[in-house]
Amino acid sequence: MRIDILTILPQLLESPFSASIMQRAQDKGHLELHIHNIRDYSTNKHKNVDDYQYGGGAGMVMSIEPIAAIIEKLKSERQYDEIIYMTPDGEILEQAHCNALSLSENLMILCGHYKGVDERIREHYITKEISIGSYVLSGGELAAAVLVDGIARLIPGVLNDETSALTDSFQDNLLSPPVYTRPPEFNGWKVPEVLISGDFSKIEQWREEQALKRTRERRPDLLEE
Ligand code: ADE
């Protein structure tokens, strides 16, 4: 999969993509990330990428020209499955979005700033608008990093244990059961007996019960869907 990210702060995206799963996805050739600095496409002499909003009011708006220029250039080179705008007024990101987007060949992600982008960009180029939650970040970069992480780990071949993404919380609308590792006892705190019993059907049953219990207690909304 190829993902092109359009940003005015490329340095914000460097570290999240250079460690762990995201680095591994790139090293293994499953993910190709291209970060584009919108400022490089500004044609005015001060390299401005924003301007005052029509109608007045506080806050700058990201200008249409440099963003249109880069989107047009990229679109002339390949077809994009989605051109995504990260914005607090988008659809709230869910596992289902990550699952669907992980099957894409080419994605483009635009990170917003200031008061947002000129609405004509959204009308004419953007095919999907995503929010990572009901709060306002200072820019779309961290939201884009969250989205790309959620997608990258689902690309076939990225995770070592192919089944591990299938047992994630949310994949079956259930939260994950508790997990334990050695030692079997610490400070008198014991690992549940069943997990050391070696009886795999009992273990499976216990995990299902725990997942259901945890979901009922913490996210009952998931069980109503
Ligand atoms: N940009 C600013 N806040 C955001 C949010 N909550 N989700 C996505 N993009 C954003």
Side-chain angles (χ1 to χ4, degrees):
M1 182 189 305
R2 175 185 169 116
I3 303 182
D4 290 274
I5 303 184
L6 284 45
T7 172
I8 58 167
L9 288 172
Q11 64 274 32
L12 256 185
L13 289 168
E14 277 159 20
S15 89
F17 294 144
S18 59
S20 187
I21 302 282
M22 296 233 258
Q23 185 62 55
R24 174 139 44 98
Q26 294 173 81
D27 291 345
K28 283 184 167 179
H30 297 301
L31 177 64
E32 216 183 283
L33 275 174
H34 297 265
I35 296 171
H36 306 271
N37 191 341
I38 295 168
R39 212 171 287 282
D40 295 341
Y41 290 77
S42 170
T43 50
N44 69 51
K45 68 171 187 272
H46 300 294
K47 293 275 174 203
N48 286 338
V49 289
D50 59 340
D51 209 337
Y52 298 101
Q53 55 178 312
Y54 276 121
M60 306 294 276
V61 174
M62 288 173 78
S63 303
I64 191 167
E65 295 98 330
I67 298 172
I70 181 167
I71 293 178
E72 289 287 355
K73 174 182 174 282
L74 290 169
K75 279 179 66 170
S76 76
E77 293 166 352
R78 69 195 61 75
Q79 279 216 315
Y80 285 86
D81 298 82
E82 299 283 2
I83 303 181
I84 301 167
Y85 177 48
M86 303 310 299
T87 174
D89 59 6
E91 286 173 47
I92 302 281
L93 181 63
E94 299 282 351
Q95 189 63 38
H97 292 106
C98 296
N99 291 347
L101 291 170
S102 72
L103 303 173
S104 308
E105 214 155 298
N106 299 301
L107 293 175
M108 204 189 303
I109 303 177
L110 171 64
C111 305
H113 261 268
Y114 318 118
K115 279 277 162 203
V117 296
D118 189 302
E119 187 67 19
R120 290 166 290 184
I121 291 282
R122 298 170 74 162
E123 271 172 38
H124 298 286
Y125 292 118
I126 299 298
T127 62
K128 202 177 242 332
E129 303 196 328
I130 293 181
S131 164
I132 64 159
S134 305
Y135 43 84
V136 179
L137 301 169
S138 51
E141 284 76 11
L142 298 180
V146 167
L147 175 63
V148 174
D149 186 297
I151 294 170
R153 57 193 297 286
L154 298 174
I155 302 172
V158 168
L159 293 186
N160 274 340
D161 179 355
E162 282 276 40
T163 62
S164 71
L166 298 174
T167 58
D168 283 346
S169 282
F170 302 112
Q171 282 300 13
D172 46 11
N173 266 358
L174 286 178
L175 301 182
S176 294
V179 292
Y180 300 85
T181 186
R182 289 184 292 181
E185 185 172 340
F186 175 81
N187 272 354
W189 307 329
K190 289 192 175 133
V191 170
E193 205 72 50
V194 57
L195 294 179
I196 338 182
S197 69
D199 182 336
F200 289 104
S201 78
K202 265 210 184 122
I203 292 173
E204 201 44 45
Q205 194 192 338
W206 181 86
R207 285 185 172 147
E208 278 169 27
E209 286 163 10
Q210 293 294 316
L212 198 58
K213 175 168 178 276
R214 195 160 264 202
T215 310
R216 255 195 224 109
E217 286 166 2
R218 300 180 184 206
R219 292 292 306 275
D221 57 298
L222 292 176
L223 297 172
E224 285 153 22
E225 277 169 21

